[in-house]
Amino acid sequence: MTAPADLPAPPIAERRPSSRTVHGVELVDDYAWLRDDNWQAVMRDPSVLREDVRAYLEAENAYTAAVMADTEVLQKALFEEMKGRIKEDDSSPPSPDGDWAYYRRFETGGQYAILCRIPRDGGDEHVYFHGDREAEGHNYFRLGGATHTDDHRLLAYGLDTQGSELFTLRVRDLETGVELDDVVEGTTGYGIWNRAGDAFLYGVRDENMRPYAVRMHRVGTSADADVEIFRSDDPGKFVGVGMTQDRSLAVISLNDHESSELRIIPSDDLTAEPRLVAARRDEVEYDIDRHGDRLIILTNADGAEDFKLATAPLAEPGADNWQDLVPHRPGTLILSHSVLADHLVWMERRDALPRIVVRRLSDGETHEIAFDEEAYALGMSAGYEYDTTTIRFSYESPTTPSQTWDYDVETRERVLVKEQEVPSGHDPADYVARRLQATSHDGETVPITVLHHRDTPLDGSAPCLLYGYGSYGHSIPADFSVVRLSLVDRGFVYAVAHIRGGKEKGHRWYTDGKREKKVNTFLDFVACGEHLAAEGFTSAGRIAAMGGSAGGMLMGAVANLRPDLFHAIVAEVPFVDVLATMLDDTLPLTPPEWPEWGNPIESREAFDAIRAYSPYDNVEAKDYPHFWVDGGLSDPRVTYWEPAKWVARLRATKTDDNLALMKINMEAGHGGKSGRFQRLEEYAEVYAFLLKVFDLA
């Protein structure tokens, strides 16, 4: 289909060419004016956006609304379907901590979580944070961390009401509900309490939105008096703060995408000098937890590409004292670990499938928790407590709604504590989930998770939505989603391409999809689309590709590479102006992400590699698929002007009449709208677009 003839023409951004020379190459940017140079202020207060930019973005939104007006009934139907699969008055299983058990629940019609606790041995519910009431008067509302003191007396919580990920920390009396006078602005969103419950550590963002320091706030004092505990002046490293499972140590982290450095502070004295665990080494990552007088360390040191677990004395934790506890096993990637009083528990992945491993620390006796489905997702939480034998894990698959289990690591008994309800009904037998393997350009096999209705014909006639990400080592789980069923029930095949740049097949899978090898990510995705077509799940030209953020960059790259393979592209908050962004060291994520993409300022090789695939820089005069592109005005991760510039260049360059729609959320950031049903409205709009362009609306 093409743009309806009775609608006004799409907005055409004014071409205002600007140029600069980098590494002897002239870079021409026709749409640089769409960036407000005072972007830091816009992140904090979107109302200060330059008027010509605002007018253009609002015109884009009005055009998209006009084009999509004929799908309003469909959007409402999709929304009601999705909402009907959600238990509105849902709640999480209580998680015990001392005399209390904490949980969150939702009310019917409510958008936001209500935080509650009950006495551990039974009693009346105590609501201590009512998200719907707190959100009143805010167009955007996001709760960050909500951490209670060890004596369960106070709560520190963070709020973001712009979508810019700048959180204000506040303190509340848990017994009375009284809000204390403590207000700390410009934080990363959560506080790490000391043992006494009268002070907490928190992360601070600088003027360019980067977390660069840790400060300590003492309850009852002004934030102006807060003490700086640690800071980094390296814009390429992010500073964070956390805590060991036994709550005895606060942990300050300094890291980028391929190295880390940790410092520890006793939680009973947050003013103590942070003690270095091990000095940063290039391409060496590590994380820690505590067990008595030793640390248990997850690391890729000493060539442990897929990570290993080591121990070191707490008194002398330097790398020279690390001793292997769980040696490196190539192809088995250790993802995370938690330490209980008597057990070590870790998550690992092999052949793109996760499992949980438990080891008794006294004698090393070890066992696994694994499952038999072709594709599934697994999550694990150690909960609040340290001296316990119970962990909580979740299990789901593309056909199986989420199950939450309590598991006794000593007796191996598991108890089902919650099963996701689908109020409108769900029969797993109506659906088929498969794990396929595509062969990429260099012979690598790429896993694909496929979901389709059992009645969908596999003769090449079905439309397919192929999702991908492939960056930062982030793996896409084979999970259950009530949302995607609205497409699957209408005959779509839903597929996830587990491409390089993630860690589905180990750490090498990640490194083979970054920097100079980034093209593998794109070619893997194309190979997955071709394989699905060859196997009859769909056909070339019947595929919609979808990805967000760095996955949106993937969308732009494959649209340039193989526009004939895809009928539509959905690019959410897409990182598409890669070269210009990586050349701008004032932007929030640029210096910390040079290890991921390369530094084109210092390296001509990195400059050439990025320039060769950067979606904005490689738009050509040729036919393209239909596009749905969205962004967020206060997004600090992928700034709004990236999708705006890209769509402007697409419109001015491409040779087809296919739709190129853009929607910028003027009241949200990277994650879109904040309410749980508001997010469904966004899904319904995107799915209506897909059904429209596939002539299935």
Side-chain angles (χ1 to χ4, degrees), residues 235-258:
K237 304 291 185 295
F238 277 0
V239 175
V241 62
M243 183 165 279
T244 55
Q245 180 69 23
D246 68 355
R247 305 188 202 177
S248 68
L249 297 173
V251 182
I252 295 175
S253 60
L254 180 68
N255 58 65
D256 55 27
H257 288 293
E258 57 184 25

Side-chain angles (χ1 to χ4, degrees), residues 155-430:
L155 178 78
Y157 66 96
L159 291 181
D160 172 15
T161 56
Q162 298 287 356
S164 59
E165 301 178 38
L166 276 172
F167 289 84
T168 298
L169 275 171
R170 299 180 183 273
V171 179
R172 177 170 297 179
D173 188 304
L174 279 170
E175 284 298 322
T176 66
V178 171
E179 199 85 353
L180 305 189
D181 292 334
D182 304 73
V183 177
V184 186
E185 305 279 1
T187 80
T188 55
Y190 52 92
I192 301 297
W193 286 102
N194 66 354
R195 285 290 198 187
D198 60 5
F200 58 81
L201 299 180
Y202 63 93
V204 188
R205 294 189 184 273
D206 65 15
E207 62 179 8
N208 289 332
M209 315 292 284
R210 300 181 190 121
Y212 79 104
V214 172
R215 293 178 187 161
M216 187 194 75
H217 176 77
R218 194 166 294 281
V219 175
T221 66
S222 168
D224 294 338
D226 289 358
V227 177
E228 187 168 273
I229 302 299
F230 177 81
R231 72 178 291 154
S232 170
D233 294 320
D234 183 347
K237 304 291 185 295
F238 277 0
V239 175
V241 62
M243 183 165 279
T244 55
Q245 180 69 23
D246 68 355
R247 305 188 202 177
S248 68
L249 297 173
V251 182
I252 295 175
S253 60
L254 180 68
N255 58 65
D256 55 27
H257 288 293
E258 57 184 25
S259 68
S260 51
E261 182 175 275
L262 305 182
R263 289 167 173 79
I264 52 178
I265 305 174
S267 59
D268 57 6
D269 182 13
L270 296 184
T271 62
E273 181 71 19
R275 188 156 63 93
L276 181 67
V277 174
R280 190 188 75 83
R281 290 179 284 170
D282 288 344
E283 299 185 359
V284 173
E285 301 174 66
Y286 69 95
D287 195 10
I288 65 167
D289 209 341
R290 180 179 181 176
H291 185 253
D293 61 359
R294 62 177 177 164
L295 297 179
I296 297 184
I297 303 157
L298 173 63
T299 182
N300 64 342
D302 307 316
E305 182 180 53
D306 286 319
F307 288 74
K308 63 180 180 178
L309 288 163
T311 65
L314 177 62
E316 298 181 75
D320 290 343
N321 295 322
W322 293 0
Q323 299 292 322
D324 284 4
L325 178 64
V326 178
H328 176 236
R329 294 158 295 159
T332 299
L333 175 65
I334 302 180
L335 301 165
S336 62
H337 74 304
S338 293
V339 179
L340 304 178
D342 298 312
H343 295 83
L344 169 63
V345 187
W346 69 89
M347 286 275 295
E348 63 183 33
R349 185 186 295 115
R350 188 174 186 88
D351 297 327
L353 290 175
R355 61 191 175 208
I356 298 170
V357 185
V358 178
R359 174 172 291 191
R360 187 189 296 129
L361 288 166
S362 60
D363 59 11
E365 196 277 335
T366 303
H367 68 276
E368 299 175 357
I369 308 171
F371 299 87
D372 296 328
E373 286 193 74
E374 280 191 48
Y376 61 85
L378 202 58
M380 183 192 74
S381 170
Y384 291 110
E385 298 186 314
Y386 173 72
D387 191 4
T388 181
T389 61
T390 300
I391 63 170
R392 181 165 287 168
F393 71 84
S394 62
Y395 171 84
E396 59 191 291
S397 78
T399 62
T400 306
S402 177
Q403 302 168 348
T404 303
W405 298 81
D406 277 353
Y407 182 79
D408 190 304
V409 294
E410 186 62 37
T411 67
R412 307 189 188 183
E413 178 186 7
R414 64 178 71 177
V415 177
L416 181 64
V417 294
K418 180 178 174 58
E419 192 163 13
Q420 181 181 357
E421 296 181 44
V422 182
S424 61
H426 173 72
D427 184 354
D430 287 340

